[in-house]
Amino acid sequence: MEGEMKRKFVKEYGMRLRLVLKSKLNGRNKIMAMNTWAVPLLRYGAGVLKWTKDEIAAMDRKTQENSLGWYVKNSVEPLLQQVAKTGVIETERCETKENFKKKAVEELEKAWIDKKMYGQYNRDLGKEVDREKTWWLKKGDLKPETEALLCAAQEQALRTNYVKFHIDRTVESPLCRLCGEKGEHITHLISECKKLAQKEYKRRHDNVARIVHWKLCGLYQLEKAEKWYEHQPNGVIESDNVKILWDFNIQCDHAIECRRPDIVVVLKKEKECKIIDIAVPGDCRIGIKETEKVEKYEELKRKFGKYGQ
């Protein structure tokens, strides 16, 4: 019974849709007519008939096929008849919304990458980079001026010495005004300049480490401040199940060069240690920096393994 009613609703919905499209209404009024005459038909039985997602998706595809494709195919206007013959608009088969969006995003990304300057950021991202986590713009929680600045930096559009030398031709040298050793491009300024390493980079590193420590304290139900920027990590904080060391010099029975990671999490019951060392490299250097960190603490990792046995 329910299946029969669904077929009747779909048939009537399609008939009303075609009548609206065949009418002499303009585009805006056609949409209004669909929303006031065709769509309410489905709403009428919404509380009684149980539509599945596949059935709704099928009607959505049918609506798309009937809309532009059907209108162009059945139009009596000479110009639209010529459009239908050329095949510019597929009148027999319309692409699904998901495939259309995916294709549009891929084309947009390719056009972005192909741009010599603006696409440099995307080209420099290695395969090991989790691209889903680099699209910070999707969140939409930044102020407009902050978003504009970050986009300009990401697209190499800030007027650094490197840009002024190679594009504007207004300076005599592309070298960094602080260290004077490398070209003053965005990647150099955010993660490679020696003059910024001991102050600005260190403050950024410490803030990231503080957030991680604050999150870990919340995860293991240890004492922490309400806000991360108010949090002052202690050298050692522990409970019956876990101990967290902050910037702690690990004592070993023989000399190990790298034995002071940013954070060490000791799980007492599991007899496990997690070494956490923070780095904030440029996106194109994530893989290199990760390898460096793993190799740096490999000996300390083996030492922890012996203690856990």
Side-chain angles (χ1 to χ4, degrees):
M1 184 66 178
E2 184 175 347
E4 181 65 24
M5 290 302 299
K6 285 183 179 179
R7 283 191 290 273
K8 288 184 178 180
F9 270 94
V10 171
K11 183 178 179 180
E12 180 67 20
Y13 171 73
M15 184 271 293
R16 293 189 181 189
L17 196 64
R18 287 190 294 273
L19 287 175
V20 170
L21 292 170
K22 200 173 182 179
S23 68
K24 299 298 182 181
L25 297 172
N26 60 32
R28 180 173 179 272
N29 289 335
K30 275 187 170 69
I31 297 298
M32 292 180 63
M34 290 179 194
N35 291 334
T36 56
W37 191 49
V39 175
L41 178 71
L42 300 177
R43 292 178 182 168
Y44 180 76
V48 179
L49 300 177
K50 296 180 180 179
W51 297 93
T52 65
K53 288 185 178 180
D54 291 338
E55 290 171 335
I56 295 174
M59 280 193 290
D60 184 49
R61 287 194 297 271
K62 195 67 176 177
T63 302
Q64 294 178 49
E65 292 171 5
N66 282 334
S67 297
L68 182 60
W70 191 93
Y71 175 69
V72 172
K73 181 181 178 181
N74 295 277
S75 176
V76 296
E77 297 181 19
L79 182 59
L80 290 182
Q81 288 178 352
Q82 291 298 320
V83 171
K85 291 179 181 179
T86 60
V88 174
I89 298 177
E90 296 186 19
T91 57
E92 299 298 333
R93 180 184 62 83
C94 291
E95 197 171 16
T96 63
K97 186 185 297 184
E98 291 76 14
N99 290 339
F100 177 80
K101 286 184 177 180
K102 182 179 179 181
K103 186 177 179 181
V105 170
E106 290 175 352
E107 291 177 353
L108 183 62
E109 185 176 354
K110 184 179 183 303
W112 177 26
I113 294 175
D114 289 342
K115 292 184 178 180
K116 186 174 181 180
M117 184 172 72
Y118 296 153
Q120 182 178 341
Y121 169 78
N122 210 335
R123 289 194 301 271
D124 289 344
L125 290 179
K127 294 182 179 180
E128 67 279 356
V129 175
D130 188 345
R131 290 173 177 260
E132 289 298 322
K133 295 181 180 178
T134 62
W135 307 136
W136 47 267
L137 202 57
K138 288 183 178 180
K139 295 183 178 180
D141 54 1
L142 297 176
K143 293 181 179 179
E145 54 270 23
T146 304
E147 184 177 306
L149 177 62
L150 290 177
C151 285
Q154 182 174 280
E155 295 178 351
Q156 308 290 328
L158 297 182
R159 313 325 287 174
T160 60
N161 265 4
Y162 189 85
V163 173
K164 290 178 181 178
F165 179 81
H166 289 283
I167 298 177
D168 299 343
R169 309 291 183 183
T170 57
V171 296
E172 297 180 356
S173 172
L175 297 180
C176 176
R177 284 166 283 185
L178 294 174
C179 67
E181 296 181 4
K182 295 184 178 180
E184 190 185 86
H185 48 75
I186 298 300
T187 303
H188 173 77
L189 290 175
I190 64 174
S191 62
E192 297 176 359
C193 182
K194 293 181 179 179
K195 292 292 185 180
L196 297 174
Q198 296 303 317
K199 189 175 180 181
E200 281 76 8
Y201 295 170
K202 187 177 185 303
R203 181 169 62 247
R204 180 180 62 188
H205 167 278
D206 292 345
N207 283 336
V208 173
R210 188 192 305 181
I211 293 174
V212 174
H213 189 276
W214 181 74
K215 288 279 189 180
L216 288 171
C217 289
L219 177 64
Y220 294 111
Q221 298 180 348
L222 299 173
E223 183 180 356
K224 67 181 183 69
E226 183 178 355
K227 305 292 185 181
W228 73 264
Y229 48 81
E230 298 173 349
H231 185 63
Q232 297 297 329
N234 295 321
V236 180
I237 184 171
E238 64 179 314
S239 65
D240 295 336
N241 299 321
V242 65
K243 178 192 292 186
I244 299 179
L245 309 179
W246 166 265
D247 195 23
F248 197 86
N249 197 6
I250 307 299
Q251 299 297 323
C252 302
D253 54 9
H254 68 278
I256 295 179
E257 183 179 358
C258 301
R259 53 193 177 96
R260 191 168 184 166
D262 293 320
I263 302 172
V264 175
V265 180
V266 182
L267 303 176
K268 298 179 180 180
K269 292 184 178 180
E270 293 83 354
K271 294 184 178 181
E272 292 181 1
C273 289
K274 299 181 184 294
I275 301 173
I276 302 173
D277 203 59
I278 306 298
V280 192
D283 288 330
C284 60
R285 298 183 65 248
I286 290 177
I288 298 173
K289 183 57 68 173
E290 183 178 2
T291 302
E292 289 179 2
K293 292 291 186 182
V294 171
E295 293 176 352
K296 180 179 179 180
Y297 291 104
E298 186 63 34
E299 190 174 0
L300 184 62
K301 175 185 173 182
R302 289 197 296 268
K303 180 59 65 177
F304 280 152
K306 291 181 180 179
Y307 289 155
Q309 292 176 353

